[in-house]
């Protein structure tokens, strides 16, 4: 369970930075303007940040597991759509939907860790979750070397 939660958490944070690495290829493939390029990153982050608190409350209301699963489905479908878009507008819309999925999914990771792990193991689980946050934050920019 912790591996699934951490992998999804990793992807939500990675998506905030990794798009900056792909911008030259995305701009060329989609014939995007500078404004479009800025919105490729900002659409995700704006929707993600704006809906994070509301999504946490949705998890309280409808259950963390159900809400997490819905967010994961939205995030996964939107990620796939990003790979098939033809125009900058479609990419911006797909990135916004990705941000929605991430916002719904991310707060549920903490709630599920709290619910699943007994008190004596919860600290270690939160430690792993926190380490994943650090890795995801630096992994996007580090992928430049992967190109």
């Amino acid at each position: 369970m912790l591996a699934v939660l951490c992998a999804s958490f990793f992807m939500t944070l990675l998506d905030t930075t990794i798009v900056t690495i792909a911008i030259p290829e995305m701009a060329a493939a989609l014939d995007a303007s500078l404004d479009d390029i800025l919105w490729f990153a900002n659409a995700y982050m704006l929707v993600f940040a704006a809906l994070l608190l509301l999504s946490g409350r949705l998890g309280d209301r409808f259950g963390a597991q159900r809400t997490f699963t819905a967010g994961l489905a939205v995030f996964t479908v939107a990620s796939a759509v990003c790979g098939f878009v033809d125009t900058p507008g479609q990419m911006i819309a797909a990135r916004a939907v990705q941000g929605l999925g991430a916002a719904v999914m991310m707060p549920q990771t903490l709630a599920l860790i709290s619910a699943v792990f007994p008190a004596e193991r919860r600290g270690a689980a939160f430690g792993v979750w926190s380490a994943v946050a650090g890795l995801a934050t630096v992994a996007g920019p580090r992928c430049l070397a992967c190109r």
Side-chain angles (χ1 to χ4, degrees):
M1 178 79 157
L2 184 61
V4 171
L5 294 173
C6 285
S8 63
F9 179 54
F10 181 86
M11 290 307 299
T12 61
L13 292 178
L14 182 71
D15 253 24
T16 62
T17 58
I18 200 162
V19 75
T20 58
I21 304 307
I23 280 177
E25 288 83 7
M26 292 167 64
L30 298 173
D31 193 30
S33 69
L34 179 59
D35 288 340
D36 294 331
I37 291 167
L38 292 173
W39 276 106
F40 291 166
N42 292 339
Y44 178 89
M45 288 188 273
L46 182 64
V47 172
F48 177 63
L51 297 178
L52 203 53
L53 290 175
L54 174 64
S55 299
R57 181 65 182 121
L58 288 174
D60 294 342
R61 175 79 169 92
F62 297 107
Q65 186 174 359
R66 180 181 296 157
T67 308
F68 174 82
T69 303
L72 181 61
V74 169
F75 183 83
T76 303
V77 169
S79 296
V81 169
C82 284
F84 294 105
V85 298
D86 294 323
T87 67
Q90 290 172 345
M91 177 62 79
I92 293 165
R95 291 281 296 161
V97 174
Q98 242 184 343
L100 169 66
V104 170
M105 188 173 38
M106 188 172 158
Q108 310 325 314
T109 60
L110 288 171
L112 288 168
I113 288 172
S114 293
V116 169
F117 288 91
E120 63 273 2
R121 296 186 61 213
R122 200 171 296 144
F126 281 131
V128 170
W129 184 90
S130 298
V132 167
L135 286 173
T137 303
V138 299
R142 295 284 181 215
C143 283
L144 183 59
C146 301
R147 285 180 49 202

